[in-house]
Amino acid sequence: MIQQIVFCFRNRLCAGILFLLITSAAFSQAPPKPYGALPTATQLAWHETEMYCIIHFGVDTYTDKEWGYGDEDPALINPVDFDASQIVGAAKAGGFKGVVIVAKHHDGLCIWPTKTTEHNITKSPWKNGKGDMVREYQLACNKLGMRMGLYCSPWDRNNAQYGTPAYVKTYRAQIKELYTNYGPLFMSWHDGANGGDGYYGGTRETRKIDRTTYYGWDTTWAMIRQLQPGAAIFGDVGPDVRWVGNEEGHAGLTCWATYTPQAPDAGKKPANGYNKYWEATEGTRNGAYWMPAECDVPFRPGWFYHSSQDGQEKSPYQLLDLYYQSVGRGAALDLGISPNRKGLLDPQDVASLKSFGDLLQQIFTTNLAKAATFTASNIRGKNTLKYGPSRLIDNDRYSYWATDDSVTTPQLVIDLDKPATFNVIRLRENIKLGQRISSFTIEAYDDGQWQQIGAGTSIGANRLIRLQQNIVTARLRLSITGSGACIALSDFGLFKEPAHLVAPLISRDRNGLVSLSTSSPVGKIRYTLDGTIPTPASTAYNTPFPLPDGGLIKARSFEADNQASEVTTQSAGLSKSGWHVLAAPPIPLPIGDRNKYDNTIDDDPATLFSTLQKDTSLTGQFPQDIAIDMGKPQTIKAFTYLPRQDKRIGGIADRYIFYTSEDGLTWQKAAEGEFANIRSNPLEQLVPLTQPATARYFKFSILHVVSGNGITIAEVGVNVK
Ligand code: FUL
């Protein structure tokens, strides 16, 4: 052979032919041209991180609030048992690969010994003012092999200069201090909340800023890129990672990593009072920027620790649902964990994280397609070694099966060595070459024919298809039904999620009757009303039971004594039977059933009372009050407000006063305050009273709304326990 080539080279013509042959072969094997917007090296590393936790701890932990006003005394902070390794270790056991530390929240208190403000951790009794929480987290991350990110809130309700250029300088000095002294950082996290009222050095006023210009983000980002080039910058609209548009932890079923923002703020379009949340939730096919979504969600209802939320951490299977809906859609999951006043994660939180981590391992360790034979309808340049489908199972996110330039809808038949039982399918693209594939179907060969078992749009960095039922087959077919260019698929996986007992659903009607049910049959449902976890010895559920005064219901399904489901927890207020609305603002535009006064007290979260005016040029007059007659005197310990649950933000209250009255004529103020973060996280709000109040009537006075020219209420309620 060598002799032949040497001989051939003697002949110039022959050499020319050989050259042509070699170059054309090389050309047909050249990698596909990148398609559309592409990720940077930092974004690629962020995609690989997939799951991280964000840690909130500060004055709010001690004042029981979600947003501090800025006037809190740093002396409040004294986490006597603070153990960064316990917290970071719990995240690691949950399968999370990094943590983002909230170094300063909106209250302005810095939990590192900063030189930029007096309002910092050195003024707390913790470690006699010598402590540095950010450093301790950094050491724990290094020890445990976890990545570290930082959140330093741009909105600062403590700083006297907030709103002026001087504060922006201080903010940049804080970033500089943090990003120089701690790291390396994988994330630079910037929340979008801003403006509004605050302490501001004692002035206690409202300060409005233009969030698009005030902070001068371009300058700050340039500084961040220089100090921490490995940090992906997260903000409502990127630049590296976008907010998904909700704080519920899920991306759209279709979710593009590319994005062309249309709304002025990601995920929001305040102009018409609606939360146009689908924009950031889904991204944009062929969008101008590579700006994948982060799905943030608190582990418990709030971002900060509140003892009233003990036992309300998400269960392992709830976390798994969120995993499929975020990581499984090419986005990342950012779970908010919150150390308690002692500086530790609650043991139940730790246990749930660990079980979730174990569950992920159990599901995703064995790829049942590992030993499969793949037959592709096309392989780029027929180069099986480089672009063949065996690249799909080599655990390398960037090696890939590619097709010739002209082939955008190829098929792949997967023959398993023996029939397998699975219920999860994983697909990934080599995103270094962009997000190319737009749609696909998956079929299983059953009973002599192909049956479709899954289909979808968007794959990107990771796509998990969780099937409703187990599939048992030895043969599958993947069809790419649409792609912007020839494909570059990097992964094909089949996994089996274990069967588990479904946890009960709890519901209570307006008369206070509690029903427990499950979506599929179980042996027995058992429940407790004293806050303890149901055991095989707890009361068995047979028929709906009355709970007129409300309380904490915990329910669990059992198959056998040693086989139990997760626990479902629900807290219920005083039953609203016999209540009626005494007085309420006029409803401008009754729209069918939507605007009945009674919707506020029907115990149905889906119905709504609204005074929003259709003509958005009209401004609303506030306060707007709604007064309720409970029919008889009650000893009120707390009020509750459930904002609208339909993903819209118009009319949601964020400043309020609750009044009580014995006769419905003279009113006493019982509580006044702010519903912090309600726009992004519209959960039921609990307003505990410092002293229980006995009254037959109460009034909910809405002083301010997050958006719109009227108020909206899904429910108001009272807790007597
Ligand atoms: C939001 C903040 O307003 C919340 O308090 C919380 O920190 C969340 C992670 O980001 O923008």
Side-chain angles (χ1 to χ4, degrees), residues 120-136:
N120 72 58
I121 195 77
T122 61
K123 300 288 178 302
S124 91
W126 180 61
K127 299 201 167 178
N128 294 320
K130 302 260 179 314
D132 179 348
M133 298 187 97
V134 180
R135 177 74 67 223
E136 296 205 18

Side-chain angles (χ1 to χ4, degrees), residues 310 526-535 537-539 545 547 550-555 567 569-570 721:
D310 281 353
R526 295 182 183 277
Y527 67 94
T528 63
L529 298 173
D530 60 2
T532 58
I533 291 177
T535 67
S538 304
T539 314
F545 57 90
L547 195 66
L552 196 66
I553 313 154
K554 282 188 184 278
V567 180
T569 304
Q570 191 171 305
K721 283 194 158 174

Side-chain angles (χ1 to χ4, degrees), residues 286-613:
N286 298 323
Y289 308 99
W290 190 272
M291 203 192 282
E294 182 207 271
C295 307
D296 61 340
V297 58
F299 190 18
R300 293 155 156 251
W303 291 101
F304 282 89
Y305 174 84
H306 308 285
S307 58
S308 61
Q309 295 174 357
D310 281 353
Q312 291 188 51
E313 72 286 342
K314 294 191 171 42
S315 68
Y317 270 95
Q318 282 175 318
L319 292 176
L320 186 66
D321 287 347
L322 294 179
Y323 177 82
Y324 285 113
Q325 292 165 17
S326 55
V327 178
R329 295 175 181 175
L333 176 61
D334 180 4
L335 182 73
I337 53 175
S338 44
N340 60 24
R341 291 179 181 175
K342 289 185 174 166
L344 293 170
L345 277 191
D346 190 81
Q348 263 178 256
D349 295 20
V350 175
S352 179
L353 287 171
K354 167 88 175 77
S355 305
F356 170 56
D358 292 348
L359 198 53
L360 284 183
Q361 290 257 336
Q362 196 185 344
I363 300 169
F364 291 104
T365 303
T366 310
N367 182 353
L368 299 163
K370 197 86 197 165
T373 308
F374 295 93
T375 314
S377 62
N378 176 277
I379 296 174
R380 188 171 184 78
K382 297 200 173 58
N383 189 338
T384 312
L385 211 61
K386 199 166 172 197
Y387 300 119
S390 61
R391 297 300 213 159
L392 296 169
I393 39 151
D394 63 1
N395 265 341
D396 179 341
R397 295 177 90 119
Y398 307 113
S399 72
Y400 55 103
W401 162 45
T403 51
D404 289 325
D405 282 348
S406 59
V407 180
T408 54
T409 54
Q411 285 192 338
L412 181 73
V413 174
I414 301 111
D415 283 297
L416 305 173
D417 52 346
K418 54 178 191 296
T421 306
F422 60 89
N423 48 25
V424 180
I425 302 167
R426 187 175 72 197
L427 299 171
R428 287 177 176 163
E429 289 183 82
N430 170 15
I431 54 170
K432 281 187 183 171
L433 296 175
Q435 187 155 18
R436 312 168 76 90
I437 297 173
S438 42
S439 57
F440 60 91
T441 63
I442 300 167
E443 296 154 295
Y445 199 67
D446 187 27
D447 250 355
Q449 54 180 330
W450 289 109
Q451 316 253 10
Q452 185 168 312
I453 55 168
T457 39
S458 75
I459 297 178
N462 193 40
R463 181 67 193 253
L464 298 174
I465 301 117
R466 190 189 204 184
L467 304 170
Q468 292 289 305
Q469 300 176 40
N470 290 343
I471 298 291
V472 186
T473 191
R475 197 154 212 235
L476 291 113
R477 183 163 69 183
L478 167 69
S479 304
I480 304 300
T481 48
S483 184
C486 65
I487 67 148
L489 194 74
S490 81
D491 190 273
F492 183 88
L494 298 174
F495 304 94
K496 170 75 175 68
E497 184 186 315
H500 76 286
L501 263 182
V502 287
L505 296 170
I506 304 176
S507 63
R508 200 182 66 142
D509 70 10
R510 190 178 176 167
N511 297 321
L513 213 56
V514 177
S515 305
L516 308 179
S517 59
T518 54
S519 52
S520 57
V522 298
K524 266 256 162 306
I525 302 176
R526 295 182 183 277
Y527 67 94
T528 63
L529 298 173
D530 60 2
T532 58
I533 291 177
T535 67
S538 304
T539 314
Y541 174 78
N542 297 313
T543 177
F545 57 90
L547 195 66
D549 288 347
L552 196 66
I553 313 154
K554 282 188 184 278
R556 201 175 183 196
S557 311
F558 287 83
E559 191 56 43
D561 281 3
N562 60 354
Q563 223 187 326
S565 74
E566 294 179 334
V567 180
T568 311
T569 304
Q570 191 171 305
S571 104
L574 182 67
S575 139
K576 296 170 187 169
S577 141
W579 289 23
H580 73 268
V581 175
L582 191 67
I587 303 165
L589 265 181
I591 310 171
D593 276 351
R594 217 187 92 174
N595 285 345
K596 285 186 195 153
Y597 292 130
D598 202 46
N599 288 349
T600 59
I601 50 170
D602 62 357
D603 253 334
D604 181 352
T607 61
L608 196 67
F609 166 69
S610 165
T611 67
L612 287 170
Q613 303 171 76

Side-chain angles (χ1 to χ4, degrees), residues 54 56 66-67 105-106 151 189 191-193 247 296 303 677:
I54 186 162
H56 284 73
E66 278 289 292
W67 285 356
H105 202 246
H106 311 326
Y151 164 149
W189 212 97
D191 71 281
E247 290 187 357
D296 61 340
W303 291 101
N677 203 31

